Each structure stands twice: as structure tokens, then as C-alpha cells.
Amino acid sequence: MKSAPTWTTLPVDAGTELAFVGRSNSGKSTALNAICQQSALARTSRTPGRTRELNYFAVAETERLVDLPGYGYAAVPIPMQQAWGEFIAHYFAERRSLCGMVQMVDSRHGIRELDAELLRYAWQRQLPTLVLLSKTDKLNRQEQVNAVRKANVDLAMLHPEARVLLFSAKEKVGIEDARRFIEAQLAPTPAADVTRTHFESPR
Ligand SMILES: Nc1nc2c(ncn2[C@@H]2O[C@H](COP(=O)(O)OP(=O)(O)OP(=O)(O)O)[C@@H](O)[C@H]2O)c(=O)[nH]1
Ligand SMILES: [Mg+2]
């Protein structure tokens, strides 16, 4: 749809928008391609920090995905890292169409400090969140179980309603579930709304 290098060039803040976030090299662009069944929708690379702009993809007329630049790459100059932090705080606070977040977390490293910060922002504004533990093809079964357990412990403190899924674009693990989550956030069905409604018990 478009690449937006700055705040002022973002698409109009209407409809629904779901953000892909994660540290540099965590596998965001690869996941986006796998989930959208496209080979080169979002550019991927071996060089961390490759995605520098916000890349928007139209899913339907009023539904968008956005691949946000990865954070936490040490070689990025400090002022740029600070600018990114400020941008993201602003984005989470102001972006009304933002309806969900998919956070890529390398399953070998788990949730780290900057991931935690974003999860707190997401929890503050009650943003439905899915944490994808990426590249699980690099872990054995026991390590995968441990990674899920550890992530759930961390999330209990950061975003108690976030869900965790093992994910591998390479071995096609978690793709269908991730797609279902995204579709449910972008185009909530009346049935999905009902499940969210809080019914008070009769007094
Ligand atoms: N083994 C394995 N490697 C993966 C998987 N997903 C991504 N990778 C590799 O991880 C590296 C980074 O992937 P990207 O999708 O470009 O990561 P990104 O988070 O978009 O990175 P930035 O845009 O730099 O922030 C590439 O070398 C990918 O091939 C996976 O499921 N398994
Ligand atoms: Mg990328």
C-alpha cells in the first residue's frame, strides 16, 4: 500500500490496522509473508535493521497490516533509537485504528526489555496481542515447551491477556492460528464481539 518514513505520511487513521512488532531480525517480515501467503510482500534480510520504514499492506479496503521497523539493534545510532522509542509511544497512544498487535519474539531469546516495554503499552490500551515465538525450528521439543512456559510467566506481569504461539515460517508452524487471530482483530464478527462483552451477574 505504502511506505511511511515519518509520522505525517501515515495512511489516514480510519478502519482497522494491526501492527507487526519485534526486535530486529526476529522474523517479522518473514512471518508477514508466510501469513499472507506471499513470497516477497515484505522485504526480509540477513542484515538486522533492514526494515526502516513503516510498511503498510492493505488486506481489504479498510483493513491494513503494518510492518514496523525492528528495535534493539545495537548498531543503530542512539538518537535514532530514541526517536524510534518516541515514535512508537506516540503511535500506541494516538493511533485510533490500531486494533491489534503481533509481536515476534525469537524463541531462543524470549521476551527482552524492549519487547516488555511494548507489551506494557499494548496492555495499557487493552490491545489484543499475540506473541509469536519465532524460529522454533531451531529448538528441540523440550526447549519449545520451556520457551512457551517462560513467555507465559513474563506475560502474566506485562500483558495478562496476550496469547503465545510457537511459530516457524520455515516449518510452517502456527501460521493458520496467527492468521485467524489477525482476521478476528481486523474484522471482528458480531459473534466475536459478544464473547468480548462483559455480562454482569444479576444482583
Ligand atoms: N530458521 C528460521 N529462520 C527464520 C525464520 N523466520 C525468519 N528467519 C530468518 O531470520 C532472518 C531475519 O528475518 P526477517 O523476517 O527479515 O526479520 P525482521 O524481524 O523483519 O528484521 P528487520 O526488518 O531487520 O527488523 C532472515 O535471515 C530469515 O531468513 C524461521 O521461521 N526459521
Ligand atoms: Mg523486516
Side-chain angles (χ1 to χ4, degrees), residues 106-125:
D106 191 315
S107 57
R108 295 165 298 177
H109 307 310
I111 294 169
R112 294 163 80 176
E113 198 183 311
L114 294 168
D115 301 316
E117 213 168 295
L118 274 189
L119 283 162
R120 281 192 211 98
Y121 282 137
W123 175 241
Q124 259 170 32
R125 68 167 276 182

Side-chain angles (χ1 to χ4, degrees), residues 1-198:
M1 185 182 173
K2 76 182 283 185
S3 278
T6 67
W7 180 253
T8 52
T9 55
L10 300 188
V12 174
D13 192 4
T16 51
E17 183 169 305
L18 182 133
F20 271 69
V21 303
R23 294 179 71 88
S24 288
N25 213 40
S26 57
K28 292 175 298 298
S29 302
T30 306
L32 234 154
N33 287 331
I35 290 166
C36 299
Q37 293 174 297
Q38 305 270 331
S39 57
L41 191 62
R43 275 185 230 124
T44 63
S45 95
R46 285 179 189 283
T47 321
R50 168 77 195 240
T51 311
R52 297 229 170 75
E53 297 164 326
L54 289 86
N55 290 304
Y56 279 93
F57 306 98
V59 173
E61 208 178 319
T62 58
E63 301 171 17
R64 298 175 299 277
L65 298 177
V66 56
D67 186 12
L68 297 185
Y71 44 82
Y73 181 45
V76 173
I78 302 269
M80 251 179 87
Q81 292 184 32
Q82 281 168 350
W84 168 234
E86 279 162 28
F87 171 81
I88 212 77
H90 191 53
Y91 182 78
F92 271 76
E94 304 287 329
R95 192 74 175 163
R96 290 169 62 185
S97 54
L98 184 65
C99 66
M101 170 171 113
V102 170
Q103 184 173 57
M104 303 302 300
V105 171
D106 191 315
S107 57
R108 295 165 298 177
H109 307 310
I111 294 169
R112 294 163 80 176
E113 198 183 311
L114 294 168
D115 301 316
E117 213 168 295
L118 274 189
L119 283 162
R120 281 192 211 98
Y121 282 137
W123 175 241
Q124 259 170 32
R125 68 167 276 182
Q126 295 282 292
L127 199 62
T129 297
L130 176 66
V131 171
L132 295 179
L133 296 174
S134 68
K135 312 188 191 183
T136 52
D137 51 278
K138 293 185 185 261
L139 301 184
N140 66 33
R141 191 64 208 143
Q142 187 56 49
E143 289 168 332
Q144 292 178 7
V145 171
N146 292 344
V148 171
R149 197 170 292 156
K150 173 79 171 58
N152 276 319
V153 169
D154 291 340
L155 286 171
M157 311 283 289
L158 300 165
H159 190 321
E161 284 176 13
R163 286 175 46 205
V164 179
L165 261 186
L166 292 169
F167 190 87
S168 166
K170 194 175 165 193
E171 290 183 346
K172 307 212 180 324
V173 174
I175 294 175
E176 290 296 323
D177 285 340
R179 189 182 299 136
R180 264 194 293 276
F181 171 85
I182 291 166
E183 282 170 355
Q185 309 319 318
L186 286 175
T189 60
D193 280 342
V194 169
T195 61
R196 267 193 226 122
T197 310
H198 177 70

